[in-house]
Amino acid sequence: GSSLEPEESSMEPPAVPEEEEEEEEEAVPLPVASGPVGCQLFGYVGIEAVLDQMKIKTMKTGFEFNIMVVGQSGLGKSTMVNTLFKSKVSRKSSQPGQEERIPKTVQLQSITHVIEEKGVKMKLTVTDTPGFGDQINNENCWDPIIKYINEQYERYLREEILITRKRKIPDTRVHGCVYFVPPTGHWLRPLDLEFMRRLSKIVNVVPVIAKADTLTLEERAEFKQRIQEDLKTHAISVYPQEDFDQDPEDRALNDRIREKIPFAVVGADQEHQVNGKQVLGRKTKWGIIEVENPAHCEFPLLRDLLIRSHLQDLKDITHNVHYESYRVRRLNESNRLG
């Protein structure tokens, strides 16, 4: 019982309070999964059926696609639109018999059609810009076009901010603007550069060389190279923009497209017989220029970009980038005024 007696030594480690033990246990790092863990299914679940559901719903409701064509008179804008959709959807086709007069100012005219193919309905709106670049003084001739595009954004924004919104907001926003460059064979004019510089910030601009059959293959290649250099020199970003590539596969595909832009196109809405087959083309004294033949022109590349491969991407970039920029700007203006 004396305090001077030595304490019994033990080989066991000293007791640690329960709180300290808990702290030490918490300090031990636990393995954390770096990403979503794959799960092995025992049998068929039917997850892939969601694709069929989306397809059925789209076929019932249809979808909207709005395209604008810009260029001087006589570059074949109406013919090109008819060739793209293989139907009479252009302004001139919808209003036959009217005398064509060059307007004193740019007048935008929109025509809406419902096109159906294999059960899929598309509400197509084609906006033409007669009078663009046709005057002696073309100063600020792009202003009505910019105003029209912003008006469609404003219309969508007003519907979107309502307390009781429509289940499906009508979409009149311009998803793609095809700009027709005259086949001069030299370089881009100041009008072309200024238009694409201003419009590429608010809409997807796709430049094309109109009536490319007026150029030889060598002239076409040189003209295309000069246009690409002009776009790079003036920092003009046309569609598809490099900044919006989602993954390496998209970037690889879009890089191949960017090498071909601007597309050298030829439009024709009449069929001719070639080697026993009916083909779209233009008949000349020297033969028939086949519109859908890649050896003759690059119309198939334009069609694939606008319809077969990038149509949904055009709509997504319009909504997530161009419209979003407009929406943020308008709401900031409203807050400052408030």
Side-chain angles (χ1 to χ4, degrees):
S2 172
S3 62
L4 297 175
E5 292 180 359
E7 297 179 357
E8 294 180 1
S9 61
S10 175
M11 297 301 293
E12 297 178 359
V16 181
E18 293 181 1
E19 295 180 357
E20 293 182 9
E21 287 181 355
E22 292 177 357
E23 291 177 1
E24 288 183 1
E25 290 179 359
E26 292 177 359
V28 177
L30 297 174
V32 179
S34 59
V37 181
C39 182
Q40 186 67 32
L41 302 179
F42 298 114
Y44 178 73
V45 177
I47 300 173
E48 64 175 1
V50 69
L51 297 176
D52 296 330
Q53 298 172 33
M54 295 169 64
K55 180 179 179 180
I56 292 171
K57 186 174 182 180
T58 303
M59 291 178 70
K60 286 182 179 178
T61 60
F63 62 96
E64 296 151 322
F65 185 59
N66 309 315
I67 188 172
M68 175 183 283
V69 289
V70 182
Q72 288 178 295
S73 299
L75 292 181
K77 299 188 298 297
S78 300
T79 304
M80 179 57 60
V81 172
N82 292 340
T83 310
L84 272 173
F85 299 99
K86 292 189 177 179
S87 54
K88 304 291 186 180
V89 295
S90 67
R91 170 179 56 90
K92 291 183 180 180
S93 301
S94 302
Q95 300 171 351
Q98 290 191 5
E99 184 180 355
E100 182 70 15
R101 293 182 180 179
I102 298 177
K104 295 182 179 179
T105 58
V106 179
Q107 298 176 359
L108 279 79
Q109 299 179 0
S110 297
I111 302 293
T112 300
H113 302 269
V114 176
I115 301 176
E116 185 172 352
E117 184 181 35
K118 294 183 179 180
V120 180
K121 294 181 181 179
M122 179 174 70
K123 184 180 179 181
L124 172 68
T125 300
V126 180
T127 303
D128 199 355
T129 56
F132 177 85
D134 291 333
Q135 311 304 321
I136 297 176
N137 181 9
N138 291 305
E139 186 177 2
N140 298 329
C141 62
W142 46 77
D143 283 349
I145 299 174
I146 294 176
K147 180 181 177 183
Y148 175 84
I149 293 173
N150 287 330
E151 283 176 352
Q152 309 317 307
Y153 290 150
E154 181 69 22
R155 180 181 299 180
Y156 193 91
L157 177 62
R158 288 179 180 176
E159 292 286 344
E160 196 177 44
I161 62 178
L162 291 175
I163 296 176
T164 54
R165 295 189 297 186
K166 297 178 181 177
R167 188 173 181 180
K168 184 180 180 182
I169 300 176
D171 190 2
T172 60
R173 298 169 297 181
V174 178
H175 300 128
C177 173
V178 182
Y179 184 72
F180 287 71
V181 178
T184 60
H186 299 294
W187 49 76
L188 287 177
R189 305 167 301 169
L191 174 62
D192 304 326
L193 290 169
E194 191 63 23
F195 175 86
M196 286 191 279
R197 186 183 70 82
R198 291 174 181 266
L199 269 292
S200 61
K201 298 176 182 178
I202 63 172
V203 72
N204 298 314
V205 177
V206 180
V208 298
I209 300 174
K211 293 191 173 181
D213 53 327
T214 61
L215 302 171
T216 65
L217 295 179
E218 292 78 11
E219 291 171 342
R220 194 175 78 182
E222 292 177 3
F223 189 33
K224 181 180 293 193
Q225 185 176 359
R226 291 194 190 103
I227 292 175
Q228 291 175 350
E229 292 173 356
D230 285 344
L231 293 176
K232 188 177 295 183
T233 301
H234 293 83
I236 298 173
S237 180
V238 297
Y239 183 84
Q241 302 91 333
E242 292 186 20
D243 298 340
F244 306 146
D245 292 339
Q246 297 291 330
D247 51 54
E249 291 183 1
D250 289 345
R251 181 173 293 276
L253 173 61
N254 291 338
D255 282 343
R256 292 195 296 270
I257 295 173
R258 283 187 280 264
E259 291 175 359
K260 298 289 186 179
I261 283 181
F263 300 125
V265 298
V266 177
D269 49 11
Q270 293 183 355
E271 289 187 339
H272 301 276
Q273 191 168 1
V274 178
N275 298 327
K277 296 181 179 179
Q278 292 293 113
V279 297
L280 283 172
R282 296 188 62 218
K283 189 174 183 179
T284 67
K285 293 182 179 179
W286 304 274
I288 295 175
I289 301 169
E290 299 176 32
V291 170
E292 297 182 328
N293 188 341
H296 292 187
C297 74
E298 294 175 336
F299 169 79
L301 298 178
L302 175 65
R303 179 196 58 204
D304 292 349
L305 177 71
L306 293 178
I307 302 174
R308 299 186 180 180
S309 63
H310 285 66
L311 188 148
Q312 188 58 47
D313 188 61
L314 284 163
K315 298 182 67 174
D316 291 341
I317 291 180
T318 298
H319 180 76
N320 298 325
V321 178
H322 298 305
Y323 168 70
E324 190 67 16
S325 299
Y326 179 84
R327 187 184 70 86
V328 170
R329 186 171 70 250
R330 286 287 290 113
L331 294 181
N332 284 335
E333 291 174 358
S334 299
N335 290 337
R336 283 197 298 268
L337 291 174

